[in-house]
Amino acid sequence: MTTTEPQVDFDKLMSFVFRAVDEVGATLNTALVVMGDKLGLYRALAGAGPLTPDELATRTNTAERYVREWLSAQAAGGFVAYDPDSGRYSLPPEQAVALTDETSPAYLPGFFQIALGSVIDSPRITEVAKTGAGIGWHDHVSDVHEGCERFFRPGYNAHLIGEWLPALDGVVTKLENGAKVADVGCGHGASTVLMAKEYPKSKFGGFDYHDGSIKTARERAAEAGVDDRASFEVAPASSFPGNGYDLVTMFDCLHDMGDPAGAARHVRQALAGDGTWMIVEPAAGDRLEDNLNPVGRAYYSFSTLLCTPCSLSQEVGLALGAQAGEARVRKIVTDAGFSTFRRVAETPFNIVYEARP
Ligand SMILES: C[S@@+](CC[C@H](N)C(=O)[O-])C[C@H]1O[C@@H](n2cnc3c(N)ncnc32)[C@H](O)[C@@H]1O
């Protein structure tokens, strides 16, 4: 039998190679953005007007030779603007918002920091991919934990109080009057602290299986002055303490759990009869082909390096994946005995679901 060699289109090959050049530059830029953030280079450039590398190095107490090379890479990627006549660099106002304004929903350094942490840990993921073993959330470098907090917080600041909680039936009134809330898989407590600031009459319990995250969450609550009403405890989602909760929240963590079905059953029995479970999950369609876009690409990549190994490291190891989609989340929720499940809000990055007993 004769086989025919597939014909390679040289133009298509070269166009793929040049796309790869762009991607390698972008991959390396992940480290350079984190470097610029940690060294204060973007913050020093923001609103400063055009600076020479020497001026930027002096303002940030860094070495001019590194700063000059970093600026060249930033200019080549369009992150900073370069004026060849003066030899000076400046940060365009839009980049200044995205790279330095922590209060903006467009703030990006956390996104790069969690990506860098994921890449740093990728050799270990490559090893466990041979056997199907897992790597837990607790087992990552701190850039993953801190980057996660800094990546998600701007979105929660922008949407949680003004849009997501009001989209839940009757929940805001309960929170205003004094509700009992569990924030499960709370990480560094960005969502818990935000809710505790807004609703001083309510009591918030933040739970996470990672002791390092719980320690940081306690510090965040104390810094924000809400530690009288927000307390944190190490506990897995399938057995966090307490019952009669008016609201249980899970922010970007259900799919990370080994046994999301067990967690759903536990939430069901921990809720008050008229309580609400709010589930915030990454935006995703039900079919792979719905998610073949830039957001889906980033989330499938995080899912390969963080979420799937985290779930596989735990009992059951269901490994839903960060792009599970509504149908799979609905099945887990309704199988656990919830009578209603509906999508109440969405952004380009998240979908918010409401489940009621
Ligand atoms: C992507 S992070 C999200 C953290 C936080 N909710 C936020 O939005 O910033 C996922 C979190 O789920 C936690 N987690 C994973 N499996 C868990 C489990 N079985 N029980 C409790 N927490 C879990 C991890 O420790 C981690 O803090």
Side-chain angles (χ1 to χ4, degrees):
M1 204 172 94
T2 56
T3 54
T4 48
E5 282 291 314
Q7 286 297 308
V8 172
D9 180 321
F10 186 74
D11 290 339
K12 283 187 185 165
L13 173 62
M14 287 321 289
S15 119
F16 185 64
V17 167
F18 277 102
R19 201 192 113 193
V21 172
D22 203 30
E23 300 230 353
V24 171
T27 306
L28 295 169
N29 193 46
T30 299
L32 295 198
V33 170
V34 174
M35 183 176 168
D37 177 50
K38 289 189 176 172
L39 294 176
L41 301 173
Y42 294 120
R43 289 187 292 282
L45 278 167
L51 298 178
T52 64
D54 193 38
E55 287 164 348
L56 181 58
T58 304
R59 287 177 185 217
T60 51
N61 202 19
T62 50
E64 187 275 343
R65 186 64 194 91
Y66 278 100
V67 168
R68 183 163 25 115
E69 215 63 11
W70 179 86
L71 279 167
S72 304
Q74 295 299 291
F79 276 53
V80 305
Y82 174 60
D83 174 23
D85 293 333
S86 64
R88 288 170 179 272
Y89 301 79
S90 55
L91 197 61
E94 296 75 20
Q95 275 83 333
V97 169
L99 294 165
T100 70
D101 182 358
E102 295 206 31
T103 66
S104 167
Y107 183 66
L108 291 173
F111 206 2
F112 284 97
Q113 190 178 359
I114 187 171
L116 179 64
S118 308
V119 170
I120 288 171
D121 281 337
S122 65
R124 293 193 294 135
I125 306 299
T126 306
E127 280 308 306
V128 293
K130 294 175 190 165
T131 63
I135 290 188
W137 186 259
H138 60 282
D139 208 12
H140 285 289
V141 293
S142 61
D143 277 325
V144 166
H145 310 134
E146 198 182 300
C148 175
E149 173 191 15
R150 297 176 75 211
F151 167 47
F152 284 130
R153 194 197 282 118
Y156 301 159
N157 282 342
H159 303 289
L160 175 56
I161 303 299
E163 294 161 34
W164 295 350
L165 290 172
L168 304 169
D169 191 16
V171 164
V172 167
T173 308
K174 289 183 191 169
L175 287 166
E176 284 168 350
N177 293 335
K180 183 174 173 184
V181 182
D183 188 9
V184 178
C186 65
H188 286 188
S191 49
T192 334
V193 168
L194 187 59
M195 292 189 286
K197 275 163 111 173
E198 187 70 18
Y199 301 108
K201 290 189 185 162
S202 291
K203 291 281 181 216
F204 298 85
F207 303 105
D208 198 290
Y209 93 118
H210 176 215
D211 56 352
S213 287
I214 288 298
K215 186 170 172 288
T216 304
R218 287 186 184 131
E219 289 164 12
R220 299 286 190 263
E223 283 156 21
V226 296
D227 48 346
D228 59 331
R229 51 191 181 273
S231 57
F232 294 89
E233 211 173 304
V234 176
S238 52
S239 62
F240 63 88
N243 51 40
Y245 287 104
D246 299 297
L247 175 65
V248 173
T249 56
M250 284 190 192
F251 291 87
D252 286 287
C253 60
L254 182 69
H255 64 273
D256 293 301
M257 294 171 189
D259 184 12
R265 287 192 296 274
H266 185 66
V267 173
R268 173 74 183 75
Q269 64 82 37
L271 275 175
D274 65 344
T276 301
W277 181 18
M278 177 169 78
I279 306 156
V280 179
E281 277 290 287
D286 287 328
R287 302 168 311 164
L288 171 67
E289 53 270 41
D290 301 329
N291 305 324
L292 299 182
N293 52 57
V295 173
R297 186 188 189 195
Y299 279 149
Y300 279 124
S301 303
F302 280 126
S303 190
T304 308
L305 297 171
L306 298 177
C307 317
T308 300
C310 181
S311 180
L312 289 173
S313 75
Q314 300 181 17
E315 268 180 37
V316 181
L318 186 68
L320 264 182
Q323 294 286 270
E326 178 169 344
R328 258 161 284 185
V329 177
R330 174 189 294 275
K331 178 155 178 23
I332 283 169
V333 170
T334 51
D335 283 357
F338 286 84
S339 64
T340 67
F341 175 86
R342 64 186 183 110
R343 179 191 291 228
V344 294
E346 60 197 283
T347 71
F349 300 104
N350 282 114
I351 300 179
V352 184
Y353 304 106
E354 175 198 74
R356 306 290 302 269

